[in-house]
Amino acid sequence: MLNLTPFPPEFISLPEWLQPNQIQLNGDFVALESFLQNLVGNLVFRYANAPRSRRAETEDILESITGIRQFQLAEYPLALVLAYQVETEEQRTIIARLYPNGEDSYLPPDLKLTVLEDTEVVFLEAISRSADNWIQLQFHGEPGEHFSIKIELGDISITDNFMI
């Protein structure tokens, strides 16, 4: 269970992403569809689509949105794709997928993608290998809960905070 305490103002509100005509989402994220329309030459995203839950119940999703944020970690250009799906009034599915975003087709080895509770307790973690072209974490939460996503390579890291 994720934390239900009030969230600080620096948390990105995922429900706000569902507002109509959202191209620029909060927290430096843009809508994935807009990003793919303007993409030229990056073969990593050639077959990209919104990550989706594979459970049977999600075939009739009420609402969903996928955002992407490009950034650099050490000398590696990366892209975090975050899908937010409303399953029921009480349940949301979040899928975080990390891609290389430059000339390389693969992520650097030992790149960590971590979901944190209370901005410090590890909830889920994935670590890239030398042949991974993306890594992913999927989990469920309830409206009002919050979590953080930390991306780490060696002693360099970035963290984004989110509210469901």
Side-chain angles (χ1 to χ4, degrees):
M1 181 65 83
L2 300 175
N3 192 354
L4 281 171
T5 59
F7 63 95
E10 67 270 11
F11 276 52
I12 296 167
S13 174
L14 294 176
E16 289 180 12
W17 287 12
L18 295 172
Q19 299 303 314
N21 302 316
Q22 288 288 345
I23 294 171
Q24 180 68 41
L25 307 175
N26 52 9
D28 296 328
F29 282 82
V30 297
L32 181 63
E33 295 79 14
S34 173
F35 172 80
L36 293 175
Q37 286 176 354
N38 297 316
L39 190 63
V40 177
N42 189 332
L43 298 180
V44 170
F45 294 101
R46 161 177 56 190
Y47 301 112
N49 60 2
R52 299 193 45 114
S53 171
R54 295 181 185 255
R55 299 177 329 162
E57 306 90 79
T58 63
E59 291 303 314
D60 186 27
I61 292 175
L62 299 172
E63 296 181 84
S64 68
I65 184 82
T66 301
I68 183 169
R69 182 167 81 87
Q70 302 176 80
F71 60 97
Q72 182 117 1
L73 191 63
E75 70 270 14
Y76 300 100
L78 302 169
L80 175 64
V81 175
L82 192 68
Y84 176 72
Q85 301 172 3
V86 176
E87 308 292 343
T88 66
E89 281 189 36
E90 301 83 28
Q91 185 176 5
R92 308 294 186 263
T93 297
I94 291 88
I95 302 171
R97 190 178 285 174
L98 190 60
Y99 288 96
N101 193 27
E103 304 263 332
D104 291 331
S105 297
Y106 300 101
L107 292 168
D110 300 319
L111 179 68
K112 290 182 185 179
L113 173 63
T114 307
V115 175
L116 303 168
E117 296 180 72
D118 299 322
T119 66
E120 58 189 44
V121 178
V122 174
F123 179 64
L124 292 171
E125 185 173 74
I127 302 173
S128 67
R129 299 163 296 184
S130 59
D132 286 332
N133 54 9
W134 55 272
I135 54 176
Q136 173 178 298
L137 294 173
Q138 177 176 333
F139 60 98
H140 305 286
E142 298 175 1
E145 292 180 327
H146 61 270
F147 64 95
S148 299
I149 293 181
K150 182 177 183 180
I151 300 163
E152 182 177 14
L153 184 62
D155 60 352
I156 301 170
S157 69
I158 63 163
T159 302
D160 284 315
N161 303 309
F162 300 91
M163 193 272 301
I164 299 173

